Amino acid sequence: MNLHQLRFVREAVRQNYNLTDAAKALFTSQPGVSKAIIELEEELGVDIFTRHGKRIRGLTEPGRLVLSSVELIMQEIDSLKRIGKEYAAQDSGSFTIATTHTQARYTLPKVVQAFMVKFPKVRLSLLQGNPQQIAEMVQRDQADLCIATESIAGVTGLVTLPCYQWEHVVVVPPDHPLLRTRQPTLEEIAAFPIITYDGAFAGRSKIDHAFSLRGLKLDVLLEAIDADVIKTYVELGMGIGIIAGMAFDAERDKNLRAIPVGHLFGMNVSRVAVKQGAYLRSYIYTFIELLTPTLNRKLIEQAMSGEKENYEL
């Protein structure tokens, strides 16, 4: 048994059981991958994959257990490599953050700026996607951590911790009738066309749920993942916007007014998640501490070790 065999098994699954694609991803030959997998199966005494002719189609029952062990072994190997790299160069390396557009555009700029001042030699990458996509990036070791609102909580294989709370705001033109009341009702909001987030982003589920509970039909004129897009169409007079409070800046958005609506849609919690059992370089702990004052290295390490503390805000 060797590490090459384990890598081939893992990559075969990641490439949807296509050994040609697995070989390309690992810069080797397809016959070599196939031969190594067969040799591993013979050594273990079980079939890892189901087959149709010479093609593999899926995992057998023991194959699922083998894959689980392979993932753990390869994760430990990756951690050993990262430990060596960190101690060879404690203030340099790569750091990949997976996040949603809202976090990348409105929350992270100041945090990233402060981080880069502390660690100018670190190569920082930002990957964007919806909550499911960014969680998968961390699960597959394509990113060191991910940041999103509540949707990433409870994802298998991730340790998820709360960063900060925020509420939605309704954005309207300066002369809009909703500005005549401090706390608009759902009925008052429902009287206008709505421009808001796509269903997978920025607490949209809470918005839909609030209207559904009251039996109100939500007239969504336009959905977007970008609050700037939402605000642009509100400025054109096409409807009222519902966006994350962090996405409104009174100085920048001079043609709009914001009405806090946390009393209608509740508070939202943005979270940071890392892979269970992953080795985190010291500067990643520093980044998380810059992101939220509620977390520190000790708390993060406790959570990663499986201690069942309540880390809610």
Side-chain angles (χ1 to χ4, degrees):
M1 187 183 303
N2 58 60
L3 290 178
H4 287 301
Q5 293 170 319
L6 304 185
R7 288 194 181 95
F8 294 163
V9 168
R10 181 175 67 173
E11 197 61 36
V13 176
R14 289 182 174 182
Q15 298 297 334
N16 199 27
Y17 309 108
N18 187 314
L19 293 186
T20 300
D21 289 346
K24 288 179 180 178
L26 295 171
F27 304 101
T28 188
S29 67
Q30 185 270 334
V33 171
S34 180
K35 182 173 182 290
I37 290 174
I38 291 172
E39 288 176 349
L40 178 61
E41 289 178 319
E42 290 175 350
E43 183 175 351
L44 295 176
V46 297
D47 288 335
I48 298 173
F49 296 103
T50 60
R51 290 174 171 81
H52 182 74
K54 292 184 178 181
R55 294 182 178 273
I56 63 172
R57 296 298 189 188
L59 287 166
T60 63
E61 188 61 34
R64 293 189 185 94
L65 297 175
V66 170
L67 177 64
S68 179
S69 293
V70 166
E71 292 284 5
L72 289 174
I73 292 168
M74 297 312 298
Q75 183 172 313
E76 290 301 320
I77 295 296
D78 291 340
S79 292
L80 286 172
K81 291 179 179 178
R82 285 194 289 268
I83 290 170
K85 288 180 180 178
E86 176 171 353
Y87 280 91
Q90 299 235 10
D91 62 347
S92 64
S94 62
F95 179 23
T96 302
I97 300 166
T99 190
T100 60
H101 175 86
T102 298
Q103 303 292 335
R105 172 69 177 83
Y106 303 106
T107 302
L108 292 184
K110 290 183 178 179
V111 178
V112 168
Q113 184 181 42
F115 177 82
M116 294 309 296
V117 169
K118 285 179 173 289
F119 300 99
K121 297 179 182 178
V122 172
R123 299 185 305 278
L124 184 63
S125 300
L126 283 177
L127 304 179
Q128 292 186 47
N130 65 39
Q132 179 181 346
Q133 290 169 335
I134 65 174
E136 290 175 354
M137 290 175 192
V138 176
Q139 289 175 317
R140 296 174 180 174
D141 298 315
Q142 296 169 338
D144 296 292
L145 58 78
C146 62
I147 306 164
T149 298
E150 293 181 342
S151 303
I152 60 173
V155 175
T156 302
L158 299 187
V159 176
T160 308
L161 295 165
C163 294
Y164 59 89
Q165 291 182 322
W166 57 270
E167 65 179 328
H168 287 97
V169 297
V170 169
V171 288
V172 297
D175 58 351
H176 199 276
L178 280 180
L179 291 170
R180 297 169 191 161
T181 176
R182 286 189 174 183
Q183 290 192 331
T185 64
L186 288 172
E187 288 78 8
E188 288 172 327
I189 293 174
F192 300 94
I194 304 294
I195 304 169
T196 191
Y197 295 108
D198 174 84
F201 292 86
R204 169 65 188 275
S205 60
K206 284 193 171 184
I207 297 171
D208 292 342
H209 183 64
F211 281 97
S212 176
L213 283 178
R214 297 291 288 272
L216 295 171
K217 179 175 171 50
L218 192 60
D219 179 17
V220 178
L221 177 71
L222 177 69
E223 296 177 317
I225 66 172
D226 184 344
D228 285 342
V229 172
I230 295 170
K231 289 183 286 186
T232 296
Y233 285 94
V234 173
E235 288 181 337
L236 292 174
M238 295 182 64
I240 64 173
I242 304 177
I243 64 173
M246 71 191 83
F248 182 82
D249 185 315
E251 185 64 27
R252 184 181 61 234
D253 302 315
K254 293 181 179 180
N255 295 326
L256 296 173
R257 302 292 182 269
I259 306 169
V261 284
H263 64 289
L264 298 177
F265 305 126
M267 299 302 293
N268 297 272
V269 179
S270 288
R271 300 174 184 271
V272 59
V274 296
K275 189 173 182 179
Q276 178 75 55
Y279 174 76
L280 301 184
R281 286 152 290 185
S282 58
Y283 53 74
I284 296 179
Y285 287 105
T286 300
F287 177 86
I288 296 173
E289 291 169 352
L290 290 170
L291 178 66
T292 172
T294 63
L295 295 176
N296 55 48
R297 182 164 185 157
K298 181 179 179 181
L299 285 175
I300 299 165
E301 288 177 339
Q302 286 176 345
M304 293 187 69
S305 70
E307 292 188 23
K308 303 298 184 181
E309 298 289 340
N310 181 9
Y311 297 107
E312 294 305 310
L313 296 174

